Amino acid sequence: MPLISRHVVTEFLKVFLLALAALTLLIVLGGVIREALMQNLPLGQVVRLVPYILPDALRIAIPVTLLLAATNVYGRMAGMNEIIALKALGISPWPILWPSLFIATLISFLAVWLNDLAVSWGRTGVQRVIVQSVEQIAYHMLQTQRRYSSPLFAINVEQVQGRRLIAPTISLLPRGNMPRIAIRAAEAELSSDCEEGFLRIRLRNGRVDVEGGMSIRFPDEYEQLIPLTQTTRLASANPSPSWLPLRRIQEQIQKQRQQIEQLQEEISREAALALFRGEMEQWATPAWQSRWQRLQEAKSYLARLQTEPHRRWAAGFSCLCFLWVGAPMAIWLRHRDFLTSFFLCFLPILVVYYPLMIYGVDGAKSGTIPPWSVWVANGVLVIWGAWLLRKVFRY
């Protein structure tokens, strides 16, 4: 019996590792090319992106390649009547199934860690590379397009001579209580200070126009500092629980609950005071609407925080669930052609698992269903796989 198990493990790992390497390479190349095109990154910075995109590529590739390995190995064994021969000798199919299930369980824990690493370390690493490259990106776009923009500011120039920007116009977009500001100058120069965390724009001989009519001229040099985190398209991304490592989420949940309690107490206190004074019309004022909106946003953020650990664990253990379904289904189908077995297994998963997973994640993040609903898709695969295993053992 150990000989059979070792044979299955060897064949399974060979197919899995080969398929994983190929699919991961394709995903990494796609991710790098996408970021390079979106952010106009130079070649040197594109290479630096690879380690940060790798965990994200692996977490996507592992479940699919596990299913591919299972359908390849078990479909070939079933197609060559090896499993029928085992049953004829009175040997249960279990010895050829448990090694791959054990491997899939270990890989599922690895996939949970990769999910955590990809969305915390990986995403922040990609952002850091882009932020550190903002000076090169800006000069490249200004030379080719005469314009560079981010969600919070934009630069237009007439010409670029080396590092000198000729006749630049810098627009600082309004945010919060800050009005729109337009800065026009005869020339300017960009430099990024990664240690201080600023993009420095040195302008000469120009004026600053503030929305509302105020204008200030500067004949000599004027320096505008912009935080590097606000100089890329990533600056538009709202802080999200999906960027937090698992070890910090519980802490954030506690803080968010305290914030919600404070907001509810504040609203209750103000409502009681308005009721005592007979000023119920204040409840329709913009100030009251703003309080309610802040409370709803806080509750929505809490729901997203509570969903995130379930999402990462459920996504990680999709590896085990895919193999739990793929192995018995490949045996039951008995196709030597592993691609046929793979697509016959993957198509129902594509139609059933992913829509349920998306529905569970979206519903849990919105707070309409409990966070544990994310596991429903995995549960469906477990039930389906158990039914298939029953057929394999009985017939």
Side-chain angles (χ1 to χ4, degrees):
M1 300 306 296
L3 182 61
I4 297 175
S5 299
R6 282 199 301 269
H7 171 71
V8 171
V9 168
T10 303
E11 293 299 314
F12 181 82
L13 288 178
K14 282 197 300 187
V15 177
F16 169 66
L17 294 175
L18 181 62
L20 181 64
L23 185 56
T24 302
L25 179 61
L26 288 175
I27 296 173
V28 167
L29 287 175
V32 167
I33 292 170
R34 182 192 63 195
E35 291 294 339
L37 292 176
M38 286 179 60
Q39 306 293 342
N40 291 280
L41 289 172
L43 181 60
Q45 305 305 321
V46 169
V47 175
R48 289 181 59 197
L49 288 178
V50 173
Y52 300 111
I53 293 178
L54 186 59
D56 205 22
L58 284 170
R59 74 187 181 101
I60 295 170
I62 285 175
V64 178
T65 50
L66 270 175
L67 181 64
L68 180 65
T71 53
N72 179 288
V73 173
Y74 293 107
R76 188 171 68 246
M77 292 178 70
M80 296 175 67
N81 297 318
E82 292 181 13
I83 295 175
I84 291 177
L86 285 175
K87 287 185 174 183
L89 294 171
I91 300 173
S92 167
W94 186 246
I96 66 171
L97 288 170
W98 76 260
S100 58
L101 291 171
F102 178 72
I103 293 171
T105 303
L106 296 179
I107 291 175
S108 294
F109 284 104
L110 174 64
V112 172
W113 177 73
L114 285 172
N115 271 274
D116 189 42
L117 189 69
V119 299
S120 54
W121 177 79
R123 289 180 183 176
T124 54
V126 169
Q127 185 180 32
R128 185 165 57 251
V129 170
I130 293 171
V131 164
Q132 291 173 353
S133 310
V134 67
E135 182 182 336
Q136 299 175 55
I137 296 170
Y139 270 111
H140 175 73
M141 294 190 67
L142 290 170
Q143 288 172 347
T144 56
Q145 303 177 20
R146 303 290 186 265
R147 175 178 173 82
Y148 174 74
S149 65
S150 82
L152 299 178
F153 84 104
I155 303 176
N156 292 274
V157 298
E158 290 186 3
Q159 191 178 0
V160 179
Q161 296 179 354
R163 294 185 58 83
R164 294 171 59 218
L165 308 179
I166 307 302
T169 300
I170 302 171
S171 301
L172 303 178
L173 305 180
R175 61 185 188 279
N177 296 324
M178 293 288 294
R180 181 186 296 272
I181 299 174
I183 307 173
R184 298 173 177 84
E187 62 180 71
E189 185 176 329
L190 303 178
S191 64
S192 59
D193 188 341
C194 295
E195 291 185 3
E196 296 292 332
F198 288 103
L199 176 68
R200 299 179 183 274
I201 309 177
R202 293 186 176 88
L203 305 107
R204 287 177 285 276
N205 189 19
R207 73 175 191 271
V208 180
D209 297 320
V210 181
E211 188 177 24
M214 187 173 69
S215 181
I216 303 172
R217 295 196 62 84
F218 55 93
D220 298 324
E221 187 172 274
Y222 171 80
E223 185 175 79
Q224 179 68 45
L225 299 178
I226 299 176
L228 283 173
T229 54
Q230 298 178 3
T231 57
T232 69
R233 293 179 175 87
L234 294 174
S236 62
N238 296 322
S240 171
S242 63
W243 288 63
L244 295 172
L246 282 173
R247 65 179 182 275
R248 290 184 53 198
I249 289 180
Q250 194 58 42
E251 174 190 344
Q252 293 297 319
I253 288 174
Q254 296 300 326
K255 289 182 179 179
Q256 195 65 17
R257 283 175 175 164
Q258 292 174 2
Q259 182 182 350
I260 291 172
E261 289 178 3
Q262 291 174 359
L263 287 171
Q264 288 174 334
E265 290 175 3
E266 178 186 339
I267 290 173
S268 300
R269 185 171 57 250
E270 295 295 331
L273 187 60
L275 186 62
F276 177 75
R277 292 175 176 175
E279 300 173 346
M280 279 76 76
E281 67 278 0
Q282 289 189 6
W283 295 350
T285 61
W288 271 99
Q289 298 299 324
S290 176
R291 288 192 185 100
W292 279 109
Q293 183 177 356
R294 280 161 47 209
L295 179 60
Q296 296 306 314
E297 288 174 353
K299 289 182 176 179
S300 175
Y301 189 71
L302 176 62
R304 290 162 61 199
L305 282 169
Q306 292 173 326
T307 301
E308 194 61 26
H310 290 279
R311 185 189 69 79
R312 294 187 198 176
W313 279 93
F317 272 83
S318 66
C319 301
L320 177 59
C321 294
F322 278 26
L323 190 134
W324 178 258
V325 169
M329 192 168 185
I331 295 172
W332 184 46
L333 291 172
R334 297 181 61 188
H335 278 286
R336 289 192 188 185
D337 182 5
F338 78 94
L339 285 177
T340 303
S341 297
F342 172 73
F343 283 111
L344 288 175
C345 292
F346 188 64
L347 186 59
I349 289 175
L350 192 66
V351 173
V352 176
Y353 173 80
Y354 285 107
L356 282 176
M357 185 69 170
I358 292 170
Y359 171 77
V361 171
D362 290 346
K365 284 185 174 181
S366 65
T368 55
I369 56 178
W372 55 261
S373 303
V374 173
W375 288 93
V376 169
N378 293 55
V380 170
L381 292 187
V382 169
I383 295 171
W384 182 18
W387 179 77
L388 289 169
L389 276 172
R390 182 172 176 269
K391 295 179 73 68
V392 166
F393 278 88
R394 288 188 63 181
Y395 304 107

